[in-house]
Amino acid sequence: MSERPVECSGCQKPIKYCYKVIEGNAISTSEMCADCPILTSKLRQGPQSESEEMQSQVLCCHKCHTTIEAIQRNSPLGCSECYLVFEGLIIEELLKQEAIAPRLRASIEVNRSIPLHLGGSPTKAPQEITLSKRLQELNSALNEALNKEQYEEAAYLRDQIKELMKKEHER
Amino acid sequence: MSDKLPPTLSTRTPWEEIKNPIWPMTSFILRRSVNPYLFPAQLDEAMASQALSLFQEAFTHVKTLDSPKIFSSNELTPTERELIAEHFLEPAKLQKSGPNQAIVLDNPSTFLGLLNFDDHLELRMFTTQEDWEVSWNRLCQLEKELGALLDFSFNPRFGYLTSSLRDCGTGLKIRAHLHLPGLILKGQLDESLEAAQLEGNRALSFEADPGEFIGDLLHLENSFSIGIPENEILSSLIKSASHLAISEKKAREELKTEESAHIKDLVGRAFGLLSHSYELHAKETLGALSLLRLGLSLGWVEGLKDSDLSSLYFFARRAHLHHLENQTISQEELPHKRSQFLREKLRESKLTF
């Protein structure tokens, strides 16, 4: 029969969770309420240090009150300010989730302060693709395909180039 | 049933005029948040309403979109929202909409704007033509117009800020929708995915279920939104998608040459299922339509155009059927209605073997 943890012997709150630990042939079960700090520490795989406990109690976004725990649980962020408040943690999470493009990942692991964003900005909008740029890319890809003797791919690219030239001529 | 939605949404499907049957569609999605508002999930009623009014006002001033219409979520019935979701090949999100959210559609129904969903603005544009750069350029134009009217949340370190970490940076998602029955039937899909050098991109199935490609439809999308500029996301994805499209074309040519009895049998059974069943469920329908499309491309089916078959991918789905019938169909009746509809559509077609 499962029981509350020893530390919770005085707790009167209704049981919400059953926590089962299986080690080899031994199974131990505890029952806990929804707010149980023992459950929280078990889920963190160990008790929090006092400083960790203080940090997680103190550090939340002043604007939307998103907490460290929410970010670690991969919950959505609450506001743009969270990116400033939790900058370091967000980079860790992005690395953990492998969400940063590979070519930057290795550099970030070594130096956390390098810029992450390489795209457009409000003052420099994402680049539109002009016809000449598209043709340039296709020609470059065609040469690469021919060098690699990938003739089917080369034929496909050549058809795309013809199609683009035809459209431009019609225009 | 729905006379408030743009006519192009209710009477036509996106795949009626596809240029490349193997690569029928490319979708672009840009996510943006707007200062000074908290992200949508954190907004209280008053601020959400205020933010929504601001965004709606901005859309009335843009010139890029052709006759945009804005619908607040509670203006649309669940079936209308599902119709939009089916049209844009976007699953669950639209059906879960709540108050202080809105949907923007343009007249050709190639643009979908989601206001106050996961982020303040989610701008989606698709094209069924091979000149995908036209759609991309239009989206860039739209983003520029809206950026002049709204203050996008931006940080030089993390780029455009979004509620989900994975979407920050460029805030850009590109999806190439590919129809690959040849590669799947020949067991060459994994090999082709590897050869397509998918690094930076990932392959998903139609309903984002990694285990199974329903209707032999594969969505190739970029995995990274941060640490890479927009033009590289574009060129990497287009390169991988082109490679897969070429491999599929080659696989189909091989199937045609081989004249495999097994493949003909599969196509024949699919034809039989669609033209003679009394009840058809969505998943089996999409699978059978895929085989029939393959059969058509191999010259084994006549009496149909590819555009007719491609459209059936949409018309066979629940909300489209409700709309065509001009009434709500019960869950029990739906499989039968679907089969009736498809039998009618395939009446003039036949197999050539």
Side-chain angles (χ1 to χ4, degrees), chain B residues 51-173:
Chain B
L52 186 65
S53 301
L54 183 70
F55 307 152
Q56 287 175 322
E57 176 68 21
F59 269 96
T60 59
H61 293 292
V62 299
K63 295 183 174 43
T64 310
L65 297 177
D66 179 3
S67 316
K69 277 189 168 186
I70 303 172
F71 304 93
S72 57
S73 303
N74 46 21
E75 243 184 285
L76 297 172
T77 64
T79 304
E80 285 166 341
R81 286 203 293 274
E82 194 175 348
L83 185 69
I84 296 168
E86 287 173 5
H87 185 89
F88 286 89
L89 296 181
E90 171 56 41
K93 187 185 305 200
L94 274 176
Q95 280 129 45
K96 292 182 199 160
S97 60
N100 292 312
Q101 291 176 326
I103 289 165
V104 185
L105 292 165
D106 68 346
N107 190 34
S109 300
T110 54
F111 172 79
L112 171 68
L114 302 180
L115 312 185
N116 269 356
F117 278 69
D118 295 334
D119 294 292
H120 295 133
L121 303 178
E122 192 174 312
L123 313 173
R124 297 167 161 260
M125 196 135 354
F126 74 74
T127 179
T128 55
Q129 307 301 303
E130 280 180 317
D131 50 355
W132 48 266
E133 65 274 10
V134 171
S135 234
W136 167 245
N137 290 346
R138 253 184 99 215
L139 191 60
C140 289
Q141 271 300 313
L142 175 65
E143 197 258 1
K144 207 164 147 181
E145 280 191 285
L146 290 170
L149 298 164
L150 302 166
D151 179 18
F152 290 152
S153 304
F154 181 84
N155 169 310
R157 195 101 213 274
F158 294 106
Y160 289 98
L161 306 178
T162 54
S163 62
S164 165
L165 290 184
R166 291 203 71 104
D167 294 327
C168 74
T170 58
L172 174 63
K173 212 48 131 195

Side-chain angles (χ1 to χ4, degrees), chain B residues 103-310:
Chain B
I103 289 165
V104 185
L105 292 165
D106 68 346
N107 190 34
S109 300
T110 54
F111 172 79
L112 171 68
L114 302 180
L115 312 185
N116 269 356
F117 278 69
D118 295 334
D119 294 292
H120 295 133
L121 303 178
E122 192 174 312
L123 313 173
R124 297 167 161 260
M125 196 135 354
F126 74 74
T127 179
T128 55
Q129 307 301 303
E130 280 180 317
D131 50 355
W132 48 266
E133 65 274 10
V134 171
S135 234
W136 167 245
N137 290 346
R138 253 184 99 215
L139 191 60
C140 289
Q141 271 300 313
L142 175 65
E143 197 258 1
K144 207 164 147 181
E145 280 191 285
L146 290 170
L149 298 164
L150 302 166
D151 179 18
F152 290 152
S153 304
F154 181 84
N155 169 310
R157 195 101 213 274
F158 294 106
Y160 289 98
L161 306 178
T162 54
S163 62
S164 165
L165 290 184
R166 291 203 71 104
D167 294 327
C168 74
T170 58
L172 174 63
K173 212 48 131 195
I174 309 176
R175 265 186 211 142
H177 306 268
L178 299 158
H179 181 224
L180 306 175
L183 287 174
I184 292 171
L185 285 171
K186 288 188 74 77
Q188 292 172 354
L189 183 64
D190 288 341
E191 184 190 314
S192 300
L193 287 172
E194 211 175 292
Q197 292 171 310
L198 284 190
E199 190 181 305
N201 302 308
R202 56 182 182 160
L204 297 170
S205 85
F206 182 38
E207 296 282 329
D209 169 4
E212 196 180 348
F213 293 111
I214 299 171
D216 300 324
L217 287 170
L218 180 146
H219 298 179
L220 200 64
E221 71 173 30
N222 57 302
S223 304
F224 308 109
S225 176
I226 189 166
I228 180 168
E230 289 87 350
N231 59 337
E232 278 186 40
I233 293 175
L234 268 166
S235 56
S236 163
L237 191 100
I238 298 299
K239 188 175 169 187
S240 296
S242 300
H243 201 103
L244 282 171
I246 292 164
S247 302
E248 172 65 17
K249 192 172 171 205
K250 191 174 165 194
R252 290 188 191 195
E253 281 162 7
E254 284 171 10
L255 285 174
K256 191 166 184 174
T257 314
E258 285 161 13
E259 290 259 350
S260 158
H262 172 62
I263 305 295
K264 279 185 174 172
D265 185 52
L266 287 174
V267 170
R269 282 166 189 269
F271 183 77
L273 183 76
L274 294 171
S275 26
H276 295 290
S277 290
Y278 189 78
E279 285 190 337
L280 281 168
H281 297 276
K283 195 166 146 181
E284 62 179 346
T285 303
L286 295 176
L289 281 171
S290 170
L291 283 166
L292 207 60
R293 262 188 103 210
L294 174 68
L296 183 67
S297 74
L298 299 181
W300 298 341
V301 179
E302 60 184 27
L304 271 177
K305 292 182 288 186
D306 185 72
S307 55
D308 298 329
L309 261 184
S310 305

